[in-house]
Amino acid sequence: MRVERRKMINRSLLNVQNTNIVSPSEVLDYIYKVKREVVSGT
Amino acid sequence: MEPRIGVYICHCGSNIAGTVDVKEVARFAQGLDSVVVARDYKFMCSEPGQNLIKTDITELGLNRVVVASCSPTMHEPTFRRACQEAGLNPYLFEMANIREHCSWVTEDKEEATEKAKALVSAAVRRVYYHQPLETREVSVNPNTLVVGGGIAGIQAALKIADSEHKVYLVEREPSIGGHMAQLDKTFPTLDCSACILTPKMTQVGSHPYIELLTYSQVEEVSGYIGNFKVKIRKKARYVDEARCTGCGLCQTKCPWKVDSEFEAGIGKRKAIYIPFPQAVPNIPVIDREHCAYFLKGTCRACEKFCEAEAIDFEQKDKVIEVEVGSIILATGFNLFDPTPIYQYGYKRLDNVITSLEFERMVNSSGPTDGNIVLKDGSTPESIAIIHCVGSRDEKYHEYCSRVCCMYSMKFAHLIKEHTDAEVYEFYIDIRSFGKGYEEFYNRVLNEGTIFFRGRPAEITNIAETPEEEGKLVVQFEDTLVGLQRRLPVDMVILSCALESQPDADAIARLFNISRSADGFFMEKHPKLDPVATMTDGIFVVGCCQSPKDIPDTVAQASAAAAEVLAMISKGRVEIEAATAVIDERICSGCQACELVCPFSAITFDEEKGVCRVNEALCKGCGACVAACLSDAISLNHFTNEQIVAQMEGMLV
């Protein structure tokens, strides 16, 4: 699970570079969004 | 010591509890690692709410606190203070925003509750790694620099100086007074502008605690809150201020005439001039660009007639350095130049003038002695006033300039007072929002001013009917009746927008402050901190922050003065503890961090070949941490460990 989490974080952070995200809270929001996508399989 | 974490979930009335199942979130938090207690409460920011935290810190031995409520911008200081009062280091606190980031933006209750749990879990994971940090204090220099000598700068300078603290008032023009000195009457009370302004100007000129530096500009600013060092260039006037008696004989004898900036170009001044009769200081200045001596090496008429022998063609610019604790920027606005709006014919058609030109024309001390006249010297029989020229226009400025409606109506009143002319106002919406403004609107209506709702499409001198011959024709759509119309008039006044100064960008860079999209200086918080900036110790007041009327400008200037006096009175300021730290053993001295630092907080130590952080200037933005190629910089309170833990917490 820890490896999976780290993958999610890395994937999020890589994508963050290509978005307009500027604040830490937006990063958290983005990670949560990725998590939901992974959980729901979309 | 093993972390003992307390978690508090705020209902925020129904703001959070209406969408998030707060009890469920508290139950979830109770099960997280190291959480000793988890509670929910109606308003955590209230005194009983804060007491809940304090009691638990004391009785349950909590050494970490998480509050899940609103934005940290609102209440982080509140809860940090509560922790501190209970004996806990304030940096051992973390806030999760489950209102703006969750309940307000999520409709589904279940989804909102799940996200709130994730946010709380992230905060708990993060706070586990928090370290106690100590804030530092620096002393505050009691001197203040005010930049700009318009009504905003004058008001702020006087308020501070009256409390017997030194103020340096810097104005780039030869006299203080700003735009207000150019106005005739002020709405809605119709006070004579000069009558209410000049006593304040005189007060500034003779105040023992104000050092007036006119015809001067700030060149360099260094330092930080409480301890700024400022270099000011005092431009050469070519007139010895100590000798000049202000008799004005030099400007009478000067044979060279040029357009007067003070008269908005509709009047003339000499090459040696005092901008206006009530100028402070009442000392002339030689305009190098138009003086025959500087251009051709001849003339020197002013020197010949000056009995006080005050003319000094050899005078040089002086650079002086002052030390101040705080800076107030009151650099004012620039009036929009309507020339690019070709269809309105400004500078192309006679008798199409700007609002400032009309202000000077109607002013009894102006170039026409207060007579409203056409270019041929005759009195107009009809005048059109067009609102929102350059404002509320996607091509120029999208914002409303806030004062145009009111000064346009003031013009209508003054025209009726001075002439028998018909006055037509062309408006999009009438915005008469201030005290006594709506009553003034009704007064102008009752005086017989005719209002048309619609922005004119064109002003032309091409006549289509005999009655349009020799007139300016305003072509417009009367949107209230849905008709295209043509209205012949003698004069058109363009009520131009207020825009940021042309050099606002350079000023912003000089003082290290931000500008908003409209070009005006940006305040720290539009509602809760409207005069402070993101650079501590630097305040913005008046129209350099946004267009505003005189009462609002004066109120804002007084507010900034109060902020400055509070700092001076305390004598010291707290410096944020969450700052960047450079490990000098790892730093390669590449200076990449210095380049990206928006607060100029990093300097390069030539001797040791490493970079250093000035903690007083550092805002903890983290830009340097990301830029550091050697991984030598870390940020207190935002360590990698803390951030990764927070992100992992989000995925629980």
Side-chain angles (χ1 to χ4, degrees):
Chain A
M1 185 60 193
R2 196 169 171 82
V3 175
E4 281 306 306
R5 274 187 203 151
R6 187 48 62 104
K7 274 185 191 165
M8 274 193 263
I9 290 172
N10 286 345
R11 183 178 142 193
S12 306
L13 292 180
L14 278 176
N15 288 340
V16 161
Q17 290 172 4
N18 301 321
T19 67
N20 293 325
I21 287 172
V22 288
S23 73
S25 49
E26 283 174 298
V27 176
L28 286 186
D29 228 31
Y30 197 80
I31 291 170
Y32 185 69
K33 194 177 146 207
V34 172
K35 174 194 163 188
R36 289 189 59 215
E37 282 170 5
V38 171
V39 170
S40 64
T42 56
Chain B
M1 192 193 296
E2 191 58 28
R4 292 175 62 80
I5 305 171
V7 180
Y8 302 86
I9 319 292
C10 181
H11 295 213
C12 195
S14 61
N15 274 306
I16 294 170
T19 320
V20 173
D21 184 346
V22 284
K23 298 234 176 274
E24 172 59 23
V25 178
R27 263 196 300 278
F28 164 79
Q30 185 73 67
L32 294 171
D33 283 352
S34 304
V35 171
V36 175
V37 62
R39 302 183 196 276
D40 62 282
Y41 190 70
K42 232 172 174 48
F43 289 103
M44 281 309 299
C45 59
S46 66
E47 207 171 324
Q50 292 179 55
N51 286 339
L52 214 57
I53 300 172
K54 289 181 199 172
T55 313
D56 285 352
I57 290 172
T58 319
E59 290 180 1
L60 303 176
L62 301 182
N63 53 22
R64 302 281 191 285
V65 171
V66 169
V67 175
S69 56
C70 54
S71 161
T73 316
M74 298 289 291
H75 277 305
E76 191 175 57
T78 311
F79 297 121
R80 277 186 175 175
R81 213 167 28 242
C83 291
Q84 199 166 19
E85 281 167 11
L88 193 65
N89 185 290
Y91 288 91
L92 295 174
F93 163 80
E94 177 62 14
M95 200 160 172
N97 185 351
I98 59 167
R99 193 177 73 176
E100 283 87 339
H101 291 168
C102 185
S103 69
W104 277 0
V105 289
T106 317
E107 281 177 14
D108 184 83
K109 196 162 180 167
E110 205 173 310
E111 261 185 55
T113 307
E114 283 310 306
K115 187 171 181 189
K117 284 182 187 174
L119 286 164
V120 168
S121 152
V124 168
R125 290 278 185 114
R126 186 187 204 286
V127 84
Y128 186 93
Y129 294 100
H130 277 203
Q131 293 296 322
L133 297 174
E134 290 306 321
T135 52
R136 289 190 309 111
E137 286 187 339
V138 292
S139 61
V140 172
N141 184 318
N143 299 341
T144 305
L145 173 74
V146 177
V147 185
I151 181 60
I154 289 174
Q155 177 73 12
L158 282 175
K159 286 281 170 201
I160 297 166
D162 282 347
S163 64
E164 302 189 348
H165 290 106
K166 173 122 186 170
V167 176
Y168 297 96
L169 177 55
V170 176
E171 166 59 50
R172 68 172 150 196
E173 297 297 328
S175 168
I176 55 168
H179 280 104
M180 193 177 166
Q182 293 175 287
L183 309 181
D184 180 42
K185 299 277 171 64
T186 55
F187 60 78
T189 48
L190 298 173
D191 292 305
C192 156
S193 182
C195 307
I196 54 175
L197 178 67
T198 50
K200 281 185 180 284
M201 288 167 61
T202 318
Q203 225 179 320
V204 166
S206 59
H207 204 293
Y209 286 92
I210 297 180
E211 187 170 332
L212 187 54
L213 299 161
T214 52
Y215 212 45
S216 305
Q217 268 181 300
V218 174
E219 280 205 329
E220 197 182 308
V221 181
S222 58
Y224 48 88
I225 181 171
N227 300 278
F228 291 106
K229 280 185 183 165
V230 184
K231 278 188 185 159
I232 302 162
R233 179 174 291 273
K234 204 166 166 14
K235 290 180 277 183
R237 279 177 180 261
Y238 306 106
V239 175
D240 187 333
E241 293 180 36
R243 289 187 172 186
C244 178
T245 58
C247 68
L249 193 62
C250 52
Q251 59 176 356
T252 313
K253 297 295 179 185
C254 175
W256 308 101
K257 283 187 179 175
V258 288
D259 284 344
S260 162
E261 298 83 3
F262 183 78
E263 300 296 358
I266 62 165
K268 299 281 182 192
R269 63 162 170 82
K270 298 292 182 66
I272 180 167
Y273 68 103
I274 296 173
F276 52 102
Q278 305 97 326
V280 173
N282 187 30
I283 294 168
V285 57
I286 294 178
D287 172 4
R288 261 188 89 109
E289 285 176 23
H290 296 98
C291 171
Y293 174 72
F294 285 109
L295 293 176
K296 301 172 195 166
T298 58
C299 188
R300 297 177 87 124
C302 50
E303 192 180 42
K304 283 171 206 151
F305 288 95
C306 180
E307 289 175 10
E309 296 182 347
I311 307 295
D312 177 7
F313 288 109
E314 306 306 316
Q315 205 176 63
K316 297 268 181 281
D317 290 2
K318 271 187 210 161
V319 177
I320 55 169
E321 192 168 315
V322 299
E323 290 186 3
V324 295
S326 40
I327 298 172
I328 296 178
L329 292 179
T331 51
F333 67 92
N334 182 51
L335 196 75
F336 173 74
D337 176 5
T339 318
I341 310 182
Y342 183 82
Q343 62 272 29
Y344 282 175
Y346 179 66
K347 287 189 178 164
R348 193 166 53 84
L349 302 173
D350 286 344
N351 302 315
V352 175
I353 60 172
T354 66
S355 42
L356 198 57
E357 288 166 2
F358 183 77
E359 285 281 1
R360 294 312 303 154
M361 184 186 280
V362 79
N363 195 306
S364 55
S365 65
T368 60
D369 296 325
N371 294 313
I372 300 170
V373 288
L374 299 173
K375 205 168 183 189
D376 62 8
S378 63
T379 307
E381 289 173 3
S382 53
I383 299 177
I385 304 172
I386 301 177
H387 294 214
C388 302
V389 177
S391 292
R392 305 182 69 194
D393 187 336
E394 283 179 6
K395 286 185 201 150
Y396 304 102
H397 300 302
E398 287 184 28
Y399 57 83
C400 163
S401 288
R402 297 186 81 213
V403 290
C404 316
C405 284
M406 289 309 295
Y407 77 58
S408 299
M409 288 192 276
K410 177 190 77 178
F411 288 168
H413 171 82
L414 294 176
I415 294 165
K416 293 276 180 192
E417 201 175 69
H418 286 66
T419 69
D420 295 323
E422 282 292 347
V423 185
Y424 305 97
E425 300 253 6
F426 294 88
Y427 69 97
I428 304 176
D429 301 291
I430 291 291
R431 295 187 168 175
S432 52
F433 54 86
K435 188 176 182 182
Y437 290 9
E438 186 67 13
E439 292 87 331
F440 189 76
Y441 169 46
N442 287 324
R443 177 180 173 177
V444 172
L445 271 177
N446 291 333
E447 284 171 352
T449 300
I450 297 162
F451 286 78
F452 289 115
R453 188 175 185 278
R455 192 200 287 266
E458 190 182 11
I459 296 157
T460 176
N461 56 359
I462 301 167
E464 287 184 1
T465 58
E467 56 268 26
E468 290 180 359
E469 288 293 340
K471 301 253 184 188
L472 293 166
V473 181
V474 182
Q475 204 166 310
F476 68 103
E477 184 189 352
D478 187 339
T479 58
L480 291 182
V481 288
L483 281 179
Q484 292 288 339
R485 297 178 67 173
R486 287 169 66 87
L487 183 78
V489 292
D490 294 325
M491 180 188 271
V492 174
I493 303 169
L494 304 176
S495 295
C496 297
L498 273 56
E499 60 183 15
S500 60
Q501 292 278 19
D503 60 351
D505 191 41
I507 299 172
R509 265 187 277 121
L510 185 64
F511 290 93
N512 208 0
I513 58 171
S514 315
R515 293 165 77 204
S516 41
D518 54 18
F520 293 98
F521 297 147
M522 199 193 277
E523 62 288 320
K524 196 169 188 178
H525 191 284
K527 296 178 188 76
L528 302 175
D529 217 347
V531 294
T533 63
M534 288 307 283
T535 303
D536 291 341
I538 298 186
F539 302 90
V540 285
V541 299
C543 288
C544 66
Q545 184 254 340
S546 74
K548 54 180 68 68
D549 55 18
I550 296 167
D552 282 2
T553 298
V554 170
Q556 207 180 28
S558 305
E563 296 246 13
V564 168
L565 287 173
M567 263 171 57
I568 296 172
S569 157
K570 195 175 174 191
R572 58 195 195 284
V573 282
E574 257 186 18
I575 302 289
E576 175 62 47
T579 54
V581 182
I582 297 178
D583 187 338
E584 290 184 8
R585 292 168 305 171
I586 306 174
C587 177
S588 66
C590 70
Q591 299 172 59
C593 51
E594 193 184 355
L595 286 175
V596 297
C597 178
F599 304 101
S600 310
I602 297 180
T603 48
F604 182 62
D605 184 335
E606 300 271 356
E607 209 175 290
K608 288 193 171 178
V610 293
C611 287
R612 291 239 160 83
V613 177
N614 182 337
E615 289 179 6
L617 288 176
C618 180
K619 295 275 175 288
C621 71
C624 57
V625 182
C628 182
L629 303 171
S630 347
D631 213 8
I633 313 180
S634 61
L635 191 62
N636 283 335
H637 207 56
F638 290 92
T639 61
N640 286 348
E641 206 176 29
Q642 288 165 0
I643 291 171
V644 171
Q646 189 173 19
M647 290 193 289
E648 286 194 347
M650 202 69 194
L651 300 175
V652 167

